[in-house]
Amino acid sequence: MSDDIIETEECQRKDPMDLFHSGQVVKICAPMVRYSKLAFRTLVRKYSCDLCYTPMIVAADFVRSAKARDSEFTTNKGDHPLIVQFAAKEAQVLCDAAHIICPFADGIDLNCGCPQRWAISEGYGACLINKPELVKDMVRHVRNQIDNPKFSVSIKIRIHEDLKRTVDLCQKAEAAGVSWITVHGRSIEERHQPVHYDAIKIIKQSMSIPIVANGDIKSLKEAENVHHLTEADGVMVARGLLANPAMFAGYEETPFQCIQDWVDIALEHGTPFTCFHHHLMYMMERITSKQEKRVFNVLSSTSAVLDYLNDHYGLG
């Protein structure tokens, strides 16, 4: 990403909000550390995913370092609509990051949901749900400083124990001009407990902007059920898509064609071996025996993986 490109390109992307006006539930690939990168986004878009997020990027590093920009963000012409998720705690830093990314993406998302200790200790992620005025200020600043009205500004949150506080946060963000809000239906403390879909429904009924439901969706049928339970306008999926990137196209388990597509896309993009291999381990989890996993999961080179896929499945 050079400054020359940034200065000369205009923010001329489709309006991601159009997806929410289609009358269909919007199917979204979640921001996932290490995993929701360009190659994987390319794969899920082949299988009915409507909207993709990048992994979370720390806005301050992105603004300060060209090296960080080059390593954290890659895209291409087919990678749209695309939302870049940032971790930020200062309005102007988020604005600066949005200015840089605007020519290459369709919107930004402010992470207000990451529960990891490092993020919270730095003032990022889920701790922001307890700072509604700061969230409102950050959203408003980006809205006011980015000229392109089609460039979306969204937030992804977790819920409070006291849901009134979550509704207040969402209403403040709406007043500041937020485009939509993704709600992970758990509190900061909750990890594997059941998702509070009833809470997402209450938030949806309190708002006039689109709401996206997130948490424990592992099939298209579950996505449709969550849509009906919450009345949400979209569903965001993380682990379910890692296990089955063809999930949104209605496949119950990863089809062999999808595995072949991943091999082709990953090799074309020069995906590092560890990432290439990890994705395959996730995808093949449900279709391999324990014995097969013991062999496949310890392979240590791309050529060994390709040989295995060819020998066992005629793939690669």
Side-chain angles (χ1 to χ4, degrees):
M1 283 176 96
S2 77
D3 292 336
D4 296 339
I5 295 170
I6 291 159
E7 285 170 11
T8 56
E9 282 204 36
E10 295 296 321
C11 305
Q12 294 175 328
R13 297 290 176 203
K14 290 177 185 173
D15 186 349
M17 285 298 291
D18 289 346
L19 291 169
F20 292 103
H21 299 143
S22 68
Q24 304 291 315
V25 61
V26 183
K27 300 184 284 293
I28 303 170
C29 176
M32 290 180 276
V33 176
R34 293 185 301 278
Y35 293 126
S36 61
K37 296 200 167 185
L38 176 59
F40 187 69
R41 298 194 301 265
T42 303
L43 179 67
V44 295
R45 289 185 196 280
K46 283 177 73 85
Y47 290 93
S48 304
C49 184
D50 299 315
L51 180 64
C52 292
Y53 281 54
T54 67
M56 180 181 79
I57 300 169
V58 176
D61 296 341
F62 190 80
V63 169
R64 188 171 54 239
S65 163
K67 188 177 177 183
R69 293 197 285 277
D70 291 340
S71 66
E72 295 285 343
F73 179 74
T74 51
T75 189
N76 61 25
K77 284 184 180 177
D79 189 29
H80 293 282
L82 176 66
I83 305 302
V84 177
Q85 190 186 64
F86 285 114
K89 57 186 175 181
E90 297 166 272
Q92 194 53 53
V93 173
L94 184 61
C95 285
D96 292 344
H99 273 293
I100 294 168
I101 215 71
C102 181
F104 308 100
D106 304 282
I108 63 156
D109 184 84
L110 174 63
N111 186 313
C112 305
C114 178
Q116 292 184 39
R117 274 200 210 108
W118 76 265
I120 289 173
S121 68
E122 292 280 341
Y124 300 137
C127 68
L128 291 175
I129 67 171
N130 298 317
K131 300 176 182 178
E133 292 298 334
L134 175 57
V135 172
K136 180 179 176 181
D137 190 44
M138 287 197 276
V139 170
R140 182 182 286 135
H141 266 75
V142 178
R143 264 279 161 263
N144 290 344
Q145 290 190 32
I146 297 292
D147 293 334
N148 181 3
K150 293 182 178 181
F151 191 77
S152 67
V153 183
S154 56
I155 62 174
K156 184 173 186 287
I157 67 169
R158 283 184 172 239
I159 59 174
H160 300 83
E161 300 289 345
D162 177 5
L163 204 58
K164 291 192 193 76
R165 294 180 64 197
T166 317
V167 171
D168 176 65
L169 166 70
C170 292
Q171 289 175 340
K172 281 185 165 70
E174 181 176 13
V178 82
S179 305
W180 68 83
I181 298 173
T182 301
V183 183
H184 182 98
R186 292 186 177 101
S187 68
I188 297 173
E189 292 77 25
E190 292 175 320
R191 290 296 188 273
H192 304 294
Q193 291 89 334
V195 177
H196 301 285
Y197 295 121
D198 54 335
I200 300 176
K201 182 175 183 176
I202 290 166
I203 293 164
K204 171 60 189 171
Q205 291 174 337
S206 307
M207 310 294 291
S208 55
I209 55 168
I211 297 295
V212 173
N214 173 229
D216 280 5
I217 299 167
K218 296 189 175 70
S219 69
L220 183 60
K221 190 173 182 183
E222 284 183 19
E224 289 163 352
N225 287 344
V226 168
H227 168 59
H228 292 303
L229 278 172
T230 62
E231 301 174 9
D233 305 273
V235 290
M236 177 183 280
V237 179
R239 286 190 301 254
L241 277 175
L242 282 181
N244 179 7
M247 186 194 110
F248 284 143
Y251 292 92
E252 289 296 315
E253 57 188 32
T254 311
F256 286 124
Q257 183 58 51
C258 182
I259 295 171
Q260 181 66 61
D261 288 339
W262 170 245
V263 170
D264 294 342
I265 291 165
L267 294 180
E268 184 186 337
H269 284 263
T271 302
F273 172 73
T274 302
C275 181
F276 169 64
H277 190 208
H278 279 189
H279 275 295
L280 287 169
M281 286 159 63
Y282 279 116
M283 287 180 212
M284 295 167 65
E285 173 75 25
R286 296 182 203 165
I287 58 175
T288 49
S289 66
K290 280 185 180 176
Q291 180 60 42
E292 287 171 323
K293 286 184 185 68
R294 273 200 290 271
V295 175
F296 184 78
N297 292 0
V298 297
L299 296 175
S300 58
S301 71
T302 300
S303 58
V305 167
L306 295 178
D307 286 345
Y308 183 96
L309 293 174
N310 187 43
D311 294 345
H312 288 74
Y313 304 110
L315 301 171

